[in-house]
Amino acid sequence: MKTPVWHPYAHLKNQTPAPKVVGGDGAHFVLESGERLLDATCSWWCMIHGYGHPRLVAAIREQAGELCHVMLGGLTHEPADRLARELVRITPAGLNHVFYSDSGSVGMEVAMKMALQYQVLTGHPGKQKMLSLMKAYHGDTTGCMAVCDPEEGMHSLFASLLPKHHFAPAPTAPFDATAEQVEHDLHALRDALERHHDEIAALLMEPLLQAAGGLNMTSPDYVTGARELCDEFGVLLIFDEVATGFGRTGKLFAADHAGITPDIMVLSKGLTGGYLGHAATLATDRVHDAFIGDTPQHAFMHGPTFMGNPLACRVALESLRVFEEEDYLGKIATLSQQLQRELLEDQALNAHPPVADVRVLGATAVIEAHSAEALKGVGVFARERGVWLRPIGRWLYTMPAYITSETEISQITDVMKAWFLRPQ
Ligand SMILES: *Cc1c(COP(=O)(O)O)cnc(C)c1O
């Protein structure tokens, strides 16, 4: 029987039936047929502890016995308070205020509204637009689509629905770039700010790793330079750490590589270890305190029904505890070295004509092909070998769960290499 479920990003005409997942443990999920697949993507990068983690499951069970949900309008509860304190503790110094929402996209909507209202409240009502980067991806809601790459960002169909923002070129300097390479990128950013700063409320970026837009990696110096430019031009800096947060780039947050604090930072995906949908938009005192005042304009008019959901907050707290107690940053460092050894340093792979580039940063590795055509069929190929891979465009990547074992990582990298180097 055909399912009424409408799948995301799918061409309905030629989609094959989606395999039914019935459970999972560790880095694997299990299909109805009994087939076990090693998840190289940890379910769109959020299941950082893998599936069926006993401590996370227990945390949800316990919380469910106490309180499943209550509105955050005018009320609070222990998990929301505690998680906010923990997020303030672990994020870059100065991010002292936490606004909850239910997904990464909404977290970004909140960030943009906050930035714009901040500018109005501090006497800059002309600053009504965002400055984003090419190759950016910030979510699929209308406000977010408007700050995704307008050409390759999957949303060009909706161009006339969307507000027009400004865009600077995507950074080209790699993670270990020279000062000169970074200078080139910062020059382009300065150029955009010089021309439009009067109307720009905030610069937003996925620091170090533009994820869904093609796993474009850049230098911490670019991020530091962006911070300085924002201060120079009276523009807020928003970090979308929905994908990069919670260890993905090798530090807890991508901002930590540069040692800087954005004015606003958005977290989601890994926040709950992937066990429930939730997001947090953090702000500095400077941003927050601008909202203290007497006029109706001073209230922040946003409030998702499920913001601060107790189950989500409770499992996020447990996720953080596991992350710290079990030295996940150490696990990520080891995993990263293995990805470098097995992909970055593989001569045959790098020399293979269809391969344009191989990149590794933290627990992220990507093989960039010259065309999406070169990846046609890779999902089936991987599944036959026990691995779940789902490329984005011409990028074949892995963002494994941090508990993925050495043998399992090799299984993933072997399949990625075998796809390219297979006899045709
Ligand atoms: C996934 C993602 C989003 C959107 O998050 P959703 O929870 O899917 O709405 C926003 N920004 C980045 C960088 C992401 O990777």
Side-chain angles (χ1 to χ4, degrees), residues 104-422:
S105 300
V106 177
M108 280 303 294
E109 299 275 354
V110 166
M112 289 188 273
K113 283 174 70 173
M114 224 177 235
L116 193 148
Q117 191 168 343
Y118 165 86
Q119 297 291 6
V120 170
L121 291 171
T122 55
H124 305 285
K127 288 177 170 274
Q128 299 269 329
K129 290 187 185 298
M130 302 294 143
L131 175 59
S132 185
L133 302 177
M134 300 302 283
K135 296 194 182 175
Y137 175 82
H138 295 293
D140 290 345
T141 56
T142 306
C144 289
M145 284 196 291
V147 288
C148 291
D149 183 313
E151 286 160 18
E152 285 192 65
M154 352 183 240
H155 304 129
S156 53
L157 177 70
F158 305 100
S160 65
L161 171 72
L162 304 178
K164 295 271 176 281
H165 296 290
H166 295 291
F167 286 85
T172 54
F175 180 77
D176 53 359
T178 62
E180 261 169 10
Q181 287 172 306
V182 175
E183 220 26 69
H184 170 267
D185 289 337
L186 286 174
H187 189 80
L189 200 51
R190 168 179 289 280
D191 193 47
L193 284 164
E194 268 171 359
R195 278 187 287 140
H196 304 296
H197 66 94
D198 282 349
E199 48 185 48
I200 293 172
L203 165 64
L204 29 108
M205 64 169 68
E206 299 153 89
L208 293 195
L209 172 64
Q210 294 184 295
L215 297 118
N216 186 35
M217 297 166 187
T218 194
S219 158
D221 294 340
Y222 177 75
V223 172
T224 309
R227 171 72 275 181
E228 287 163 8
L229 286 170
C230 283
D231 292 340
E232 183 180 338
F233 287 98
V235 162
L236 293 183
L237 179 61
I238 299 175
F239 277 177
D240 177 350
E241 293 231 23
V242 171
T244 53
F246 301 99
R248 189 52 67 184
T249 66
K251 300 223 183 222
L252 190 49
F253 300 104
D256 299 339
H257 286 273
I260 58 138
T261 302
D263 301 290
I264 299 175
M265 180 158 135
V266 183
L267 305 174
S268 186
K269 292 202 166 91
L271 172 65
T272 61
Y275 280 57
L276 278 163
H278 223 63
T281 302
L282 286 94
T284 57
D285 291 345
R286 169 158 77 114
V287 172
H288 173 267
D289 293 356
F291 288 73
I292 303 171
D294 302 324
T295 74
Q297 279 199 344
H298 278 90
F300 186 56
M301 302 309 281
H302 206 101
T305 305
F306 294 108
M307 70 183 291
N309 173 266
L311 294 168
C313 291
R314 179 73 174 262
V315 74
L317 281 162
E318 193 63 18
S319 167
L320 261 181
R321 236 182 247 143
V322 174
F323 197 104
E324 292 184 331
E325 285 173 16
E326 298 183 10
D327 184 26
Y328 270 42
L329 288 179
K331 286 191 209 298
I332 292 163
T334 308
L335 209 148
S336 188
Q337 281 161 11
Q338 191 183 352
L339 290 171
Q340 288 178 33
R341 266 197 322 275
E342 295 180 0
L343 293 173
L344 213 51
E345 291 165 21
D346 187 290
Q347 311 250 321
L349 177 69
N350 282 266
H352 191 53
V355 172
D357 195 20
V358 181
R359 297 185 287 277
V360 173
L361 176 61
T364 306
V366 57
I367 305 174
E368 178 173 339
H370 284 292
S371 76
E373 205 53 28
L375 298 180
K376 225 170 162 195
V378 69
V380 174
F381 178 88
R383 186 174 164 188
E384 284 165 4
R385 288 155 183 80
V387 175
W388 176 252
L389 279 173
R390 191 178 149 95
I392 304 173
R394 56 196 166 86
W395 295 277
L396 184 65
Y397 74 93
T398 178
M399 293 201 202
Y402 305 146
I403 49 81
T404 310
S405 72
E406 190 178 344
T407 322
E408 289 165 341
I409 292 289
S410 292
Q411 193 184 344
I412 293 171
T413 58
D414 281 349
V415 168
M416 290 171 76
K417 287 187 283 195
W419 167 258
F420 282 100
L421 302 176
R422 72 197 185 282

Side-chain angles (χ1 to χ4, degrees), residues 63 66 76-89 98 100 313-318 320-321:
Q63 184 59 41
E66 293 167 22
T76 193
H77 52 80
E78 190 59 22
D81 284 343
R82 257 177 42 218
L83 179 61
R85 280 197 294 273
E86 284 293 274
L87 292 177
V88 168
R89 175 177 69 80
V98 180
Y100 290 118
C313 291
R314 179 73 174 262
V315 74
L317 281 162
E318 193 63 18
L320 261 181
R321 236 182 247 143

Side-chain angles (χ1 to χ4, degrees), residues 11-48:
H11 280 282
L12 300 188
K13 185 169 174 200
N14 44 25
Q15 72 178 347
T16 47
K20 189 176 277 181
V21 179
V22 294
D25 55 273
H28 289 82
F29 56 74
V30 181
L31 304 185
E32 204 176 24
S33 59
E35 191 180 336
R36 288 167 56 80
L37 288 177
L38 172 55
D39 187 356
T41 70
C42 75
S43 269
W44 276 335
W45 333 332
C46 66
M47 298 294 286
I48 58 176

